[in-house]
Amino acid sequence: MFAFWESRAFYDSFMARSHDRLAAAQNGTYKDIQVKLFDYRFDVKTGFEPRFTDADVVRIAHCRVHEHRVEHFALMQEKVWNPAMAGSPGMLRGVFGEAPGHEFLVLSMWKSAAEHGKYRAERVERLSLRAQTEADVAALAGDVVELEPSWTV
């Protein structure tokens, strides 16, 4: 589940006024939830907006980066990965965020799984070597998620 907040003040207001009531109403509907807040660092490709009607899949990469490699990792995202994704015809837009503890989230939106698959098959290994991703990243988790339009609010 992803939520995009206009500002930290709006998030804090929601948490103070509405969260507990809504969470109580959802008791028993999920198992083992974790919440992480990522601050916006920059767009992937073009101005990000949390609109999902034109995308069929989202690629999420959650990275924990070695402390001494944080700035290199962010620079490589901006100078190596972003231009490569932006050059892929099926990539729509995305966002790069940072959380405390040297954690990053790269969320990219794609027209289809097939379009994302073309990008992945052609470029990922070469780009990873160029960006020195293995030296930067301590742990990586992620997936390609098919969007369910009826779940979008």
Side-chain angles (χ1 to χ4, degrees), residues 139-153:
L140 172 66
D143 212 339
V144 176
V145 178
E146 291 184 37
L147 297 175
E148 173 54 50
S150 66
W151 286 28
T152 302
V153 291

Side-chain angles (χ1 to χ4, degrees), residues 87-106:
S88 294
M91 198 275 191
L92 301 170
R93 63 190 161 277
V95 64
F96 180 74
E98 182 176 7
H102 321 297
E103 291 187 54
F104 295 87
L105 183 74
V106 183

Side-chain angles (χ1 to χ4, degrees), residues 8 29 45 129:
R8 180 62 188 248
T29 62
K45 185 173 182 172
L129 288 171

Side-chain angles (χ1 to χ4, degrees), residues 31-78:
K31 181 178 135 183
D32 191 29
I33 191 168
Q34 295 180 13
V35 176
K36 296 237 182 218
L37 293 177
F38 290 86
D39 290 325
Y40 169 88
R41 285 228 15 202
F42 50 80
D43 294 331
V44 177
K45 185 173 182 172
T46 186
F48 180 77
E49 56 183 279
R51 178 177 45 86
F52 294 86
T53 55
D54 57 345
D56 287 338
V57 297
V58 174
R59 166 66 170 135
I60 305 107
H62 178 212
C63 307
R64 198 172 67 243
V65 176
H66 297 293
E67 183 176 359
H68 66 283
R69 301 286 295 193
V70 165
E71 288 311 312
H72 180 266
F73 177 78
L75 181 66
M76 292 299 101
Q77 180 64 43
E78 188 174 13

